[in-house]
Amino acid sequence: MMAAKPQATHVTSHSAPDRNLPPPVQDFLPSTFLERGIAVPFTTPMLAGTRARPGGRVAMELIVPNPSGGRGVYILPWQDISALCRPTVHDARLTANIATVQGATPSTIRKAVRDTASLGFAGRGVAAAARAADQADRNASLTANFELLLGLVRRAEPPGESALPPEREQPAALERRARRAIARIAPEFGRTPEAIAAALEQLATLFTGVGIGRSAANARVPLLLARLLRVRAALQGVMETRSGDTVQEADLIAGAIDLTVTCARVIIADAASLAADVTILLRKWIVEPDALATALARSDWLLDGWDRIAALWETAPPHQGVEVTLGDMSNLVPALPREIGTWVGHQLNIDADLQRHRRKVVLLEDWRTGRCVVDLIGRNEAVLEHAG
Amino acid sequence: MSGQLDDTPIGLARPQLRALQHDLLGARDQQILQVVAMVDALPARGEADQFITALRPRLAILHPVRPLSFTRLLFLPLDPLIVAPSAWRRDALAVPRSVLLPLARLVRAAMTDQAAEIDRALVGLSTEHDRQIAETGPALWGEGGTLLASATVPPNWVDATGLQPADFRTIVDIAAPILLHAARLQHVTQLGTEGEATRRRDLDLLLQSIVTDGPGAFAALTALLAERLPRADQVFFIADDIAARQGDPALRNAVDRAIDATIDGLELTAGQLQRLDQASTALRHLVAVLEDLDAQCNQRPSRKARIAQLRLGIDTASRKQFSTAMETHILHPAAMIAEADDHQIASMEASARDLRRFEVIARRLGGAEHYDRQLKGAATELRPKQGELVQTMIDRIRLIEILLGPEAAIAAFPG
């Protein structure tokens, strides 16, 4: 991924003479995912669609969609959030937590979000969902570690050494075979067996999102893709039955889902190929850990924010007009940075799709629906609970 | 209700059915929508239809998605004018629900093959399929309007509707012209806020085009548009303008009839505001129309006085309803908040949102000080107490935040 560099055209509020005035509104077509920032699930309606990213002269910047509903974004220092609105108690806590994050990534922001949510200021349901999501990630990490060990046993054992394939082995026997495999390959890497075991655990953490092997379909990213495809199918129904602006809105979101899912599949396939041979994977991790971690985080960057878009559809009250839900969703559809071309270019030529998507996103204009603030906060909390 | 008790599709005895109907009146929106979907999915609704009848005032607010049938599509444009048979009066700008089937049968009989074609086209469709409605509806409405305009009283009219033969013409004189203009009516009501200028022009053309159908049709269309469009005052203003341009006192009286019908509708709605969670939606519409009407009635002191009276009545009832709900749904249960489970806390929070939503609208009728006092008093009672668990403190802070906003919540933090 390219390093964070604020766009040359940005005029942020850092130099604004009057801090009571909002900074100027700017167009926003980020080139890299880091520049696009990470979606922050604020519950304050005014902050819907806000993203965080490392700043130039400040530790963290806020990218806030133009609250008037028009084009462009505000970019301002993290601590200036209260210049825009009065955040909810939950958001005030979240802002403080994110301010302490070192190295803004979807993973570090997700941790800050869950830590804050588990306090309960967005409701008991949100707190329980945050704890459950944490537990699910821990389970996914254990599963990924198990799959890596299976792969290692298959790779390290000479043919015929064991009668049973490792996946059919009893847990105690599998553990013995895994220890033996680790001890057998450790010298190849000039490492102790303990160091190799630790490296496998670290790798398992990196694969938590995309998953490995037979259980990959149950990992966070493939599950999110499945949710997005269900939403996509429902949008198809909307496009076939509705007319006018509603169809345009559904088309925008459906197109963005198509593009995102297509790219995500390439990225997931790349991650799966990395795990095909555990010894090669281990060598990569030992030789160039940052590059491997960056490659395995790509699906997180690509799909960042889409969990909330899916949740908006899934939690929409049945009597709420579909056009309102689509309006809320399309406001959150992220621009796809050009950097995606370098991630999937070896498999896909998405230049034309990317161009079309970016044009649609920029031309889309938001509007205010006149809904009660307390309802919007409640809706945002429900979305936070179901985002995953 | 004439069917045998055992014939009810859900197999309930009459007292149970009544009890269930009563319970449903107090049910939450989501539950209501589930019941309607369940009844709509029955192959033969039979007495389950009684549920729908009991829920009609709520359905008028919730606008649930309903399956499309020949009859529903035919009368879709008349929707806001359709009333319960018991609420219909001979001088009302309304169509009693009991005439819909007999009138639809008349149209169906005259359309023969075309009707079967429409039946086939509607299979699996619902009221949310607006594209298909826009494709199939106009032809049916045009044909239906023409047929009804020249139709005579069907033989079973009195038995099927409980109305007099003369009522047929009264009702058809309202329904037929509106059906004939229904395609344009749908177009005008579906224009978004961005089409404001277009809507004014189209509204003027639409109302002008019905003038030749007589003052009754003009009045009915005006009342219908006032109900369906976001700004009732704009509709009355344009209708008044047309009446002035035509120089016809009968049209002027027709606008007055439409305004009276709108006020009647408001009074009826005001009497049905029972639960706070359902009252807000109706109250929002009610307050908006009242404000529009108030602006419209400067030249009519008697009408202005009637609106002021109605406004005062709703304001008084709203204040009382708010205070009672605050006590019943927030302060009383909050006395045991430390022992409350997740469900009870969620229920209190939902009630707090209902109260806040209600109060935001209700204070437009007056009584801002009353609501401020109530909310501040509640915040004081809800403040965290010394020695309570952190979870209880957070539950209290959240209630205060929902009721009064984040600043009040932060101020309530202990220490």
Side-chain angles (χ1 to χ4, degrees):
Chain A
M1 194 182 339
M2 292 168 67
K5 285 270 189 274
Q7 290 153 303
T9 53
H10 284 176
V11 182
T12 71
S13 69
H14 312 172
S15 56
D18 185 348
R19 294 176 71 86
N20 291 322
L21 291 175
V25 174
Q26 309 160 35
D27 279 347
F28 188 57
L29 272 179
S31 301
T32 68
F33 281 89
L34 190 60
E35 197 182 312
R36 180 175 87 172
I38 301 114
V40 184
F42 287 124
T43 58
T44 310
M46 185 87 164
L47 297 175
T50 293
R51 291 178 165 269
R53 71 177 183 192
R57 279 168 286 169
V58 292
M60 195 81 79
E61 281 180 341
L62 277 170
I63 307 166
V64 188
N66 183 350
S68 75
R71 288 177 56 168
V73 295
Y74 285 121
I75 297 176
L76 65 168
W78 192 253
Q79 65 273 18
D80 283 4
I81 199 164
S82 53
L84 279 179
C85 61
R86 290 176 192 147
T88 58
V89 175
H90 166 269
D91 288 356
R93 293 287 172 121
L94 180 56
T95 307
N97 266 357
I98 289 180
T100 65
V101 165
Q102 298 295 314
T105 67
S107 169
T108 55
I109 297 291
R110 185 163 51 237
K111 182 174 182 322
V113 167
R114 286 184 186 166
D115 287 350
T116 309
S118 62
L119 295 173
F121 286 108
R124 288 187 179 190
V126 174
R131 288 191 288 269
D134 252 346
Q135 186 58 51
D137 271 359
R138 280 195 293 275
N139 293 345
S141 178
L142 287 174
T143 305
N145 190 241
F146 179 74
E147 292 287 344
L148 286 172
L149 286 172
L150 288 181
L152 189 70
V153 169
R154 279 189 217 107
R155 184 74 179 76
E157 282 183 350
E161 185 175 271
S162 298
L164 282 176
E167 61 273 15
R168 290 173 57 191
E169 194 65 272
Q170 293 296 315
L174 178 62
E175 194 179 334
R176 278 195 301 277
R177 285 172 69 178
R179 280 174 202 263
R180 198 165 60 213
I182 290 173
R184 196 172 269 157
I185 60 123
E188 287 180 33
F189 297 96
R191 303 288 164 109
T192 64
E194 290 74 21
I196 295 296
L200 286 171
E201 282 177 14
Q202 289 157 355
L203 280 167
T205 306
L206 296 179
F207 274 96
T208 297
V210 290
I212 305 178
R214 297 164 308 161
S215 50
N218 297 321
R220 189 178 64 246
V221 170
L223 285 177
L224 176 55
L225 286 189
R227 283 170 70 193
L228 287 178
L229 288 172
R230 283 195 293 275
V231 173
R232 175 66 177 85
L235 292 176
Q236 189 63 39
V238 170
M239 287 190 281
E240 285 166 9
T241 54
R242 298 303 182 103
S243 54
D245 291 350
T246 307
V247 172
Q248 284 182 17
E249 207 92 59
D251 179 50
L252 163 81
I253 302 161
I257 291 177
D258 289 343
L259 190 53
T260 304
V261 169
T262 303
C263 295
R265 282 177 173 153
V266 173
I267 290 168
I268 290 172
D270 288 348
S273 70
L274 282 170
D277 186 324
V278 179
T279 56
I280 296 174
L281 180 67
L282 268 170
R283 194 166 302 284
K284 275 190 197 292
W285 179 238
I286 287 164
V287 174
E288 43 186 10
D290 289 348
L292 186 61
T294 301
L296 288 171
R298 282 175 176 172
S299 59
D300 255 2
W301 283 97
L302 174 63
L303 289 162
D304 177 59
W306 278 101
D307 51 351
R308 275 176 284 287
I309 297 173
L312 274 170
W313 181 265
E314 292 157 352
T315 61
H319 55 281
Q320 174 177 285
V322 71
E323 62 280 2
V324 175
T325 307
L326 293 178
D328 290 340
M329 290 166 74
S330 61
N331 286 343
L332 297 187
V333 169
L336 202 51
R338 293 200 180 283
E339 187 181 21
I340 189 65
T342 64
W343 290 3
V344 301
H346 60 292
Q347 291 281 344
L348 296 170
N349 182 356
I350 59 158
D351 284 353
D353 290 337
L354 193 57
Q355 191 65 27
R356 195 162 48 245
H357 168 67
R358 287 160 72 98
R359 195 164 52 237
K360 277 188 196 169
V361 171
V362 170
L363 288 177
L364 179 79
E365 293 210 344
D366 184 14
W367 61 85
R368 294 291 157 187
T369 59
R371 279 173 288 170
C372 187
V373 168
V374 72
D375 287 334
L376 288 171
I377 294 172
R379 190 279 314 269
N380 290 343
E381 289 171 356
V383 166
L384 187 54
E385 185 176 337
H386 287 88
Chain B
M1 206 156 47
S2 57
Q4 296 296 306
L5 295 182
D6 291 341
D7 288 345
T8 56
I10 42 181
L12 291 175
R14 194 184 300 260
Q16 286 173 301
L17 190 64
R18 280 210 200 95
L20 200 51
Q21 279 175 328
H22 182 264
D23 287 349
L24 273 175
L25 291 177
R28 284 202 162 263
D29 293 350
Q30 182 64 34
Q31 294 166 314
I32 298 281
L33 294 171
Q34 282 169 353
V35 169
V36 172
M38 197 183 76
V39 172
D40 278 341
L42 290 172
R45 283 157 53 150
E47 292 197 11
D49 219 23
Q50 298 292 326
F51 289 121
I52 303 283
T53 306
L55 294 172
R56 289 221 183 267
R58 297 279 302 274
L59 301 186
I61 296 166
L62 291 174
H63 295 294
V65 172
R66 308 293 303 276
L68 264 188
S69 63
F70 183 91
T71 307
R72 183 164 285 138
L73 177 62
L74 175 60
F75 294 114
L76 206 58
L78 290 168
D79 195 28
L81 298 184
I82 298 168
V83 297
S86 58
W88 185 77
R89 296 192 320 265
R90 287 199 171 78
D91 61 344
L93 297 173
V95 175
R97 193 173 299 282
S98 54
V99 308
L100 301 185
L101 264 179
L103 293 185
R105 284 195 192 110
L106 272 181
V107 175
R108 175 183 281 283
M111 288 179 77
T112 56
D113 290 351
Q114 255 182 296
E117 215 170 279
I118 290 172
D119 284 337
R120 279 193 295 278
L122 298 183
V123 171
L125 299 184
S126 67
T127 47
E128 69 175 351
H129 287 86
D130 49 9
R131 185 188 292 178
Q132 285 84 345
I133 290 171
E135 283 166 7
T136 316
L140 175 61
W141 300 327
E143 191 71 19
T146 307
L147 288 166
L148 288 177
S150 58
T152 53
V153 188
N156 63 342
W157 174 260
V158 176
D159 287 343
T161 64
L163 300 173
Q164 297 301 311
D167 296 331
F168 174 81
R169 187 45 53 198
T170 308
I171 291 163
V172 159
D173 281 350
I174 286 177
I178 290 179
L179 287 178
L180 282 168
H181 294 91
R184 289 168 71 185
L185 167 67
Q186 289 296 97
H187 169 72
V188 168
T189 54
Q190 281 168 1
L191 285 172
T193 47
E194 74 282 2
E196 202 53 48
T198 318
R199 177 156 51 211
R200 284 182 70 87
R201 192 196 61 211
D202 290 355
L203 200 53
D204 191 282
L205 289 172
L206 174 61
L207 280 165
Q208 274 192 67
S209 64
I210 207 165
V211 165
T212 52
D213 293 296
F218 182 74
L221 183 61
T222 303
L224 189 152
L225 286 164
E227 172 66 27
R228 285 182 62 174
L229 292 178
R231 286 187 54 194
D233 61 332
Q234 194 180 57
V235 176
F236 295 131
F237 179 83
I238 291 171
D240 254 343
D241 192 45
I242 290 171
R245 289 202 309 259
Q246 301 273 336
D248 183 351
L251 288 184
R252 192 71 200 271
N253 287 338
V255 181
D256 286 350
R257 267 186 86 190
I259 292 176
D260 283 339
T262 304
I263 297 173
D264 289 345
L266 293 182
E267 280 177 337
L268 195 68
T269 310
Q272 290 166 349
L273 303 181
Q274 291 167 358
R275 284 182 51 143
L276 211 60
D277 61 327
Q278 58 195 248
S280 305
T281 313
L283 192 65
R284 183 183 293 116
H285 174 72
L286 210 119
V287 169
V289 179
L290 266 181
E291 287 170 349
D292 286 351
L293 281 173
D294 197 40
Q296 190 67 28
C297 293
N298 285 332
Q299 308 300 319
R300 299 293 183 94
S302 61
R303 180 167 296 139
K304 208 167 175 65
R306 191 179 163 201
I307 290 169
Q309 190 63 36
L310 180 58
R311 196 184 170 100
L312 183 68
I314 299 170
D315 178 29
T316 308
S318 299
R319 292 184 201 202
K320 192 175 166 200
Q321 192 172 8
F322 183 84
S323 307
T324 307
M326 178 70 86
E327 184 58 40
T328 312
H329 299 304
I330 305 288
L331 300 179
H332 181 69
M336 305 288 283
I337 197 167
E339 286 82 44
D341 60 22
D342 290 357
H343 176 74
Q344 289 163 324
I345 292 293
S347 172
M348 271 191 266
E349 290 182 358
S351 296
R353 283 193 192 93
D354 291 339
L355 277 164
R356 190 68 198 277
R357 198 184 303 117
F358 184 88
E359 165 262 328
V360 166
I361 306 158
R363 63 169 68 221
R364 280 164 63 182
L365 294 163
E369 281 178 15
H370 170 83
Y371 294 112
D372 287 340
R373 206 168 43 246
Q374 286 276 320
L375 288 166
K376 280 181 188 159
T380 306
E381 281 204 42
L382 289 168
R383 281 183 87 89
K385 311 277 187 280
Q386 271 202 329
E388 281 184 329
L389 294 173
V390 173
Q391 181 62 66
T392 307
M393 184 269 287
I394 291 172
D395 290 336
R396 288 180 179 279
I397 294 287
R398 271 184 61 75
L399 284 174
I400 295 172
E401 181 171 25
I402 294 169
L403 288 170
L404 282 113
E407 285 173 332
I410 288 167
F413 269 100

